[in-house]
Amino acid sequence: MKRREVAKPLYETSYGKAFLGDSLPLMADMPVASVNLVFTSPPYALHFKKEYGNAAQRDYVKWFLPFARHVHRLLRDDGSFVVDIGGAWTPGQPTRSLYHFELLIALCREVGFYLAQEFYWYNPAKLPSPAEWVTVRKVRVKDAVNCLWWLSKTPAPKADNQRVLKEYSPDMKRLVKRGYRATVRPSGHIITAKFTDRGGSIPPNLLTYGNNDSNGHYLEQCKKHGLKPHPARFPVQLPTFFLRFLTDPNDLVFDPFAGSNTTGEACEREGRRWIAVEVEERYLEASRFRFTGDLRALSDLYEENGTAGVVVQPSLFG
């Protein structure tokens, strides 16, 4: 039998490789249990057809599952699969589609993933939509939250919330300063005397990041060279949070729907190896610009010896 040629990357960086094409055949060539984290944002099943291609709501689960089965095969036993998936409206009526919930259930029951935790990405800058129900008839509010399903191959994926601590609130800072006595709150929650200052608070599963980087290096370079940027990008803070939470330096991260390769940029900044695949050549060509600017880490998260230090989110992304 004639063996298919292994794909060549469109470009390479210090930590990663970007491939042009369908991710399914490339995943078939990748070794079993070779990936620590798959972070991706596939085209959503939106009502309106997008230029980057998106499956219809009724076909979405059937379309996505072949990718998911490869992801399950590629992950290490302590690996994670994080999917950023936006919601959609039912065509012709002010009700929500269930497609992203149906996908979650299929990923767990048909492919064998575990739901480690659900996350929500709140984008304050999101525009009111759909206009028909939000700004014309005024019977719905704007949809400003995306779901991120954190899935795992086993019930115990690698994770460390001490790497993604948030800055203490003003009340918490006062509490840390004056000390805390063990007590039982009215809710019945027991606060023990074990409380100590850990340098920050454990973050919630609601992540708030704006997506209005209109002056960023990628967009500036696209404009300078007359290339159209990818129309559906997420902020680099989003993959960065999960890289720090779920992986170690030099771990391998894979994105099968790379788009403008924001995941690759986050990996490059954080010292993770990465593989990205994108089917549209114009978007992958433009994504080279992400690796020509200042690619220092977004913070001093890791000390020079590579060990994890305390993270305070606002200072990371300022």
Side-chain angles (χ1 to χ4, degrees):
M1 179 183 293
K2 185 177 180 181
R3 182 173 173 79
R4 187 163 52 84
E5 290 187 7
V6 176
K8 295 182 179 178
L10 187 67
Y11 65 85
E12 298 182 47
T13 68
S14 300
Y15 284 96
K17 298 179 180 180
F19 292 88
L20 175 65
D22 186 342
S23 58
L24 280 177
L26 187 137
M27 283 193 281
D29 285 340
M30 293 174 64
V32 176
S34 59
V35 175
N36 299 93
L37 169 66
V38 175
F39 184 94
T40 195
S41 180
Y44 307 155
L46 301 178
H47 176 38
F48 296 104
K49 199 70 177 175
K50 297 294 184 180
E51 62 185 52
Y52 46 81
N54 51 322
Q57 294 174 15
R58 64 178 180 279
D59 303 324
Y60 200 84
V61 173
K62 182 179 180 182
W63 169 76
F64 194 84
L65 287 192
F67 297 96
R69 290 193 172 94
H70 274 299
V71 169
H72 192 273
R73 184 182 67 83
L74 294 178
L75 282 179
R76 297 170 61 93
D77 285 347
D78 62 354
S80 290
F81 179 25
V82 178
V83 188
D84 165 40
I85 188 93
W89 295 84
T90 306
Q93 58 179 262
T95 62
R96 299 286 282 169
S97 167
L98 300 177
Y99 90 94
H100 51 320
F101 299 112
E102 292 168 345
L103 175 64
L104 172 62
I105 292 171
L107 290 171
C108 294
R109 292 184 176 171
E110 295 185 34
V111 183
F113 283 108
Y114 293 87
L115 175 60
Q117 194 168 13
E118 64 274 35
F119 278 74
Y120 302 94
W121 166 35
Y122 168 49
N123 177 8
K126 208 161 185 178
L127 296 174
S129 67
E132 173 70 15
W133 313 123
V134 178
T135 61
V136 178
R137 301 198 189 195
K138 306 182 191 305
V139 294
R140 294 292 182 270
V141 298
K142 73 173 181 178
D143 178 24
V145 176
N146 272 18
C147 295
L148 289 108
W149 306 137
W150 171 24
L151 303 157
S152 57
K153 191 168 183 177
T154 65
K158 179 168 63 176
D160 185 351
N161 65 23
Q162 297 301 291
R163 298 172 178 173
V164 287
L165 295 178
K166 291 187 63 176
E167 186 176 18
Y168 284 136
S169 66
D171 285 344
M172 196 65 195
K173 288 179 180 176
R174 284 193 294 271
L175 205 60
V176 169
K177 186 176 181 179
R178 75 185 185 201
Y180 198 91
R181 290 180 301 177
T183 186
V184 179
R185 289 185 171 179
S187 63
H189 194 97
I190 300 172
I191 308 297
T192 71
K194 296 180 180 179
F195 173 80
T196 57
D197 179 8
R198 297 185 181 275
S201 63
I202 296 172
N205 60 347
L206 174 67
L207 305 175
T208 303
Y209 302 126
N211 197 15
N212 46 8
D213 182 25
S214 58
N215 297 317
H217 179 76
Y218 166 73
L219 291 183
E220 284 181 353
Q221 292 300 309
C222 285
K223 183 178 180 180
K224 179 180 177 181
H225 293 274
L227 295 177
K228 186 175 182 178
H230 194 286
R233 306 174 304 278
F234 49 73
V236 70
Q237 293 94 329
L238 205 58
T240 300
F241 175 90
F242 288 98
L243 292 180
R244 294 174 179 178
F245 182 30
L246 304 176
T247 67
D248 294 309
N250 288 317
D251 276 0
L252 180 60
V253 180
F254 179 62
D255 185 349
F257 301 99
S260 68
N261 205 5
T262 310
T263 302
E265 179 189 342
C267 290
E268 201 78 11
R269 291 179 181 276
E270 296 296 319
R272 271 66 169 175
R273 295 175 296 128
W274 58 269
I275 296 174
V277 188
E278 169 55 40
V279 73
E280 286 284 342
E281 184 173 8
R282 53 181 171 161
Y283 296 142
L284 199 62
E285 279 288 357
S287 73
R288 294 175 188 265
F289 298 139
R290 292 193 176 277
F291 305 95
T292 59
D294 183 355
L295 285 172
R296 289 177 297 181
L298 296 179
S299 78
D300 297 326
L301 174 58
Y302 291 103
E303 308 295 340
E304 291 185 356
N305 62 5
T307 57
V310 173
V311 182
V312 180
Q313 291 285 9
S315 68
L316 303 181
F317 306 133

